Amino acid sequence: MTSIQERSALGIVPKEKKQGKIARYMARNRASENYLIKKDFARICGGFFMVVLLFGLCFLILQPILFQISNSFMSRQDLFDSTVISVPRYPTLVNYRMALNLMEYWGALGTSLGITFLVALLQIMACTLVAYGFARFEFPFKRFWFGCVLLSIIIPPHVIMAPMFLNFLNFDIFGIFTLFRGAPLSLTYTLTGYLILSVTAMGLRNGLYIFMLRQYFRNMPKELEESAWVDGCGKLRTFAQIMLPDAVPMLVSCFLFAFVWQWTDGFYTNMFLRNYGVMAERMRSLADVFSSYYIVEIQRLQGGHGLSPPIALVETMISTGVLLGVAPIIIIYIIAQRGFVESIGQSGMKM
């Protein structure tokens, strides 16, 4: 007879074990009147369905980004080659060099970082004070004012675009500027107007930040404040030294939201920051700038009248500019993702 070691080396023992497991499984299945195999079959089919569903959702989310990345590396030969679909045959960095040039990227990046950081910081400071007031204090018409905050979330900014533009075009406070200057101030296309909105918690998506922070402060135990008051802290000191340190994860989350939305915003940027050369404006105007550059180059090289660039070239340049524009946002999110995820996990919604 063959020894156990020899049988194991030949793979006979594992095969017998496998056959034994199958036999036991079938015996259990017969004992359960085929319920066991039906249950396992349903579990396998459900798992397969979930994998297909998740793959489809991930593909829907990632496919536009992958298309932009692929398109940004395509050379002119690839763009006009019908056999090239997703993977460029002759990858090139020419598109990135041209986009950096046409967007004046580094100057726009520095300006955008400075303005966006300042605006987001002012918005979070103002929204934090307002949210703490709604969470902890009682004052007349509190529910009415909080309803107005919710309305600012629901109503899109484009609905109030015309009155807001006219208000900042002829900015005056109770006629004071007209009394001393003879005319109201014009704060459109100036950073000052947008800073006023930010300081008064009326900037982009500020209603949402107030709501999120208010829910967070409501979930914090009141005993923390009461113990601080017993120790002699005033309300402002309690807010600064007790409440704010615990709310850092939510503040980071709201700051990221404010930074990202301000970075890609077109509404307020067009109204206040059009003359500052921020990244959102550079991305929006890249197609027109590239078309003008292309026409001038064709005239210089071939003489006569320049022709408009092919649509494929314009789309490639837009893809490249968009990737360059969102790259800083991706880097910031990677750095701050831990605080962002923690804040979402702790935010609880207590009405």
Side-chain angles (χ1 to χ4, degrees):
M1 292 182 64
T2 310
S3 65
I4 295 176
Q5 291 82 1
E6 292 174 347
R7 294 174 66 193
S8 177
L10 294 172
I12 298 174
V13 173
K15 185 176 180 180
E16 289 179 353
K17 288 183 178 179
K18 185 176 181 181
Q19 290 175 348
K21 287 181 66 175
I22 294 174
R24 288 193 297 272
Y25 178 83
M26 296 305 296
R28 290 169 56 203
N29 181 60
R30 285 192 297 271
S32 65
E33 298 180 353
N34 293 327
Y35 171 77
L36 183 60
I37 196 167
K38 290 178 182 178
K39 178 182 176 182
D40 289 342
F41 180 76
R43 178 175 57 82
I44 293 171
C45 290
F48 177 77
F49 175 76
M50 288 299 298
V51 169
V52 173
L53 180 63
L54 290 174
F55 177 82
L57 291 174
C58 291
F59 180 78
L60 286 176
I61 295 171
L62 295 177
Q63 193 271 339
I65 301 175
L66 296 176
F67 174 77
Q68 300 272 17
I69 295 173
S70 171
N71 207 23
S72 67
F73 285 103
M74 285 194 179
S75 61
R76 188 159 184 169
Q77 299 96 305
D78 293 331
L79 291 173
F80 299 103
D81 187 347
S82 58
T83 62
V84 176
I85 300 175
S86 297
V87 181
R89 186 170 296 162
Y90 306 103
T92 179
L93 294 175
V94 170
N95 299 325
Y96 283 93
R97 287 195 289 267
M98 187 175 297
L100 288 171
N101 240 350
L102 296 177
M103 294 173 67
E104 299 178 3
Y105 183 78
W106 300 113
L109 178 63
T111 303
S112 298
L113 285 174
I115 292 178
T116 306
F117 182 85
L118 176 61
V119 168
L121 183 64
L122 291 176
Q123 286 181 354
I124 298 307
M125 290 171 59
C127 292
T128 304
L129 289 171
V130 174
Y132 185 69
F134 276 118
R136 286 294 191 253
F137 299 104
E138 294 296 330
F139 49 87
F141 305 108
K142 176 180 175 180
R143 292 183 178 273
F144 170 77
W145 295 120
F146 189 69
C148 293
V149 171
L150 296 180
L151 276 179
S152 69
I153 301 174
I154 298 170
I155 298 175
H158 300 82
V159 175
I160 58 174
M161 177 172 58
M164 183 182 292
F165 180 83
L166 293 175
N167 185 36
F168 281 95
L169 183 64
N170 303 287
F171 187 78
D172 205 346
I173 302 176
F174 303 115
I176 295 175
F177 294 114
T178 302
L179 178 64
F180 288 98
R181 296 180 70 253
L185 294 175
S186 177
L187 297 181
T188 54
Y189 310 129
T190 65
L191 181 60
T192 305
Y194 198 26
L195 293 182
I196 291 174
L197 282 178
S198 302
V199 170
T200 55
M202 287 299 296
L204 180 65
R205 305 286 195 279
N206 282 183
L208 178 61
Y209 311 147
I210 293 172
F211 179 76
M212 293 174 63
L213 289 164
R214 178 244 190 192
Q215 300 305 111
Y216 191 88
F217 286 130
R218 277 171 60 90
N219 287 339
M220 295 180 70
K222 292 185 178 180
E223 289 77 8
L224 291 173
E225 296 163 290
E226 292 171 355
S227 61
W229 295 338
V230 169
D231 291 338
C233 288
K235 292 182 178 180
L236 185 60
R237 187 178 176 186
T238 300
F239 169 71
Q241 296 186 357
I242 305 298
M243 305 300 285
L244 277 186
D246 284 342
V248 166
M250 181 54 70
L251 293 174
V252 170
S253 178
C254 291
F255 180 82
L256 285 176
F257 280 134
F259 195 95
V260 171
W261 275 324
Q262 174 56 39
W263 188 270
T264 57
D265 171 62
F267 175 74
Y268 289 100
T269 297
N270 191 43
M271 183 176 294
F272 296 105
L273 307 176
R274 181 185 295 182
N275 301 325
Y276 287 83
V278 295
M279 190 65 69
E281 179 65 23
R282 297 295 188 192
M283 286 191 289
R284 187 184 67 82
S285 61
L286 180 58
D288 296 332
V289 174
F290 174 70
S291 297
S292 302
Y293 170 81
Y294 185 88
I295 292 172
V296 171
E297 283 297 303
I298 290 296
Q299 288 178 339
R300 185 178 65 83
L301 295 175
Q302 299 181 3
H305 296 287
L307 301 175
S308 298
I311 295 177
L313 284 178
V314 177
E315 290 181 351
T316 300
M317 195 54 52
I318 293 174
S319 299
T320 308
V322 168
L323 290 173
L324 289 172
V326 301
I329 298 299
I330 296 174
I331 294 172
I332 290 173
Y333 174 75
I334 291 173
I335 295 172
Q337 64 170 330
R338 184 173 181 180
F340 177 75
V341 174
E342 182 182 353
S343 68
I344 295 300
Q346 295 179 0
S347 60
M349 294 299 170
K350 177 182 176 183
M351 301 302 292

